[in-house]
Amino acid sequence: MAPRAGLAGAFAALLLGWAAPALANPFADWAAVVVAGDYHGSAGGPTEAFDNARRDVSRELRRIGFAQGNLRTFSVRPDRYKDSPQKSDPRAIYKALEELSGKARSGCLIYFTSHGAPQGVVIDKQILSPGILNAMLDATCAQRPTIVVMSACFSGVFVRPLAAPNRMILTAARPDRTSFGCGEDSVYPFFDDCVLKTSPLSKDFAALASSVKSCVALREIQEGMKPPSEPQLSIGAELRPMLPLYSFPSGPPDAD
């Protein structure tokens, strides 16, 4: 496969029209990994917020067209959950990306929900740094269209290291700001809640990012959270004109 075959193929379909039926479900051949990286709330006790987000973001990805067989989920406490996630571990996440990208070759999506630090995102007892994640993506997804969503405090630190012409990076906060909603009694972090609420109303990932940013800002104002987290967005120059091809279906989420 040529290095930029994913983007080139989509562009050809847009111009020529002959491949339009293949785009009826543009995410059917995408690899996807959704990771809950911690189970501790902001006060140190257990929380279901990250695993709730992992479960329901995965369900939403299936609704918009990601194939179950091309999707892997990860949890710090996998034995607790009926949907059979794998154990959250950077090496296991890399192996899953390697496997999935080997068979689902049109694009990649990676979604992390966890605590964060200026050094990176928490994955159980480790910190996954932007540099390591970038290397993982280079080795697996390469130049394919790639969506990276980082729901964590300080997650803006991932934007610059991961930025590439074929990638979209959406983060829950600036590099120097916390995000909110990971208390022991939280259902979801604020950012993940906004993803789940606005995705069914969005036409594609670019529109979703805009809606999520507005949703988070409004929620923080309503609940008096300061300073604002200011979610960050980067869309590569090659991917930006292609995003309308990767459109979301209308309709309610799966009932399961």
Side-chain angles (χ1 to χ4, degrees), residues 188-200:
Y188 309 111
F190 285 8
F191 179 89
D192 299 312
D193 188 41
C194 284
V195 168
L196 292 166
K197 284 179 176 176
T198 61
S199 180

Side-chain angles (χ1 to χ4, degrees), residues 90-91 93-105 108 110 130-144 146 162 166-167:
R91 186 179 298 275
I93 294 164
Y94 171 73
K95 289 295 185 183
L97 273 175
E98 185 177 47
E99 174 197 344
L100 293 171
S101 64
K103 63 176 182 175
R105 296 179 173 272
C108 292
I110 301 89
I132 294 297
L133 180 56
N134 185 59
M136 291 166 61
L137 295 176
D138 282 347
T140 55
C141 302
Q143 300 299 322
R144 301 168 193 176
T146 300
L162 266 57
N166 62 305
R167 292 179 186 165

Side-chain angles (χ1 to χ4, degrees), residues 71-86:
L71 172 65
R72 298 285 186 278
T73 68
F74 291 83
S75 171
V76 177
R77 302 185 294 175
D79 294 342
R80 291 174 57 90
Y81 304 105
K82 294 180 180 180
D83 58 332
S84 301
Q86 296 176 235

Side-chain angles (χ1 to χ4, degrees), residues 145-167:
T146 300
I147 309 292
V148 182
V149 184
M150 306 299 299
S151 176
C153 296
F154 309 107
S155 50
V157 298
F158 284 88
V159 173
R160 185 171 294 180
L162 266 57
N166 62 305
R167 292 179 186 165

Side-chain angles (χ1 to χ4, degrees), residues 209-229:
S210 178
S211 295
V212 168
K213 292 175 69 175
S214 297
C215 175
V216 168
L218 180 60
R219 177 79 179 271
E220 291 175 351
I221 290 170
Q222 290 174 337
E223 302 206 19
M225 299 298 186
K226 298 180 180 180
S229 57

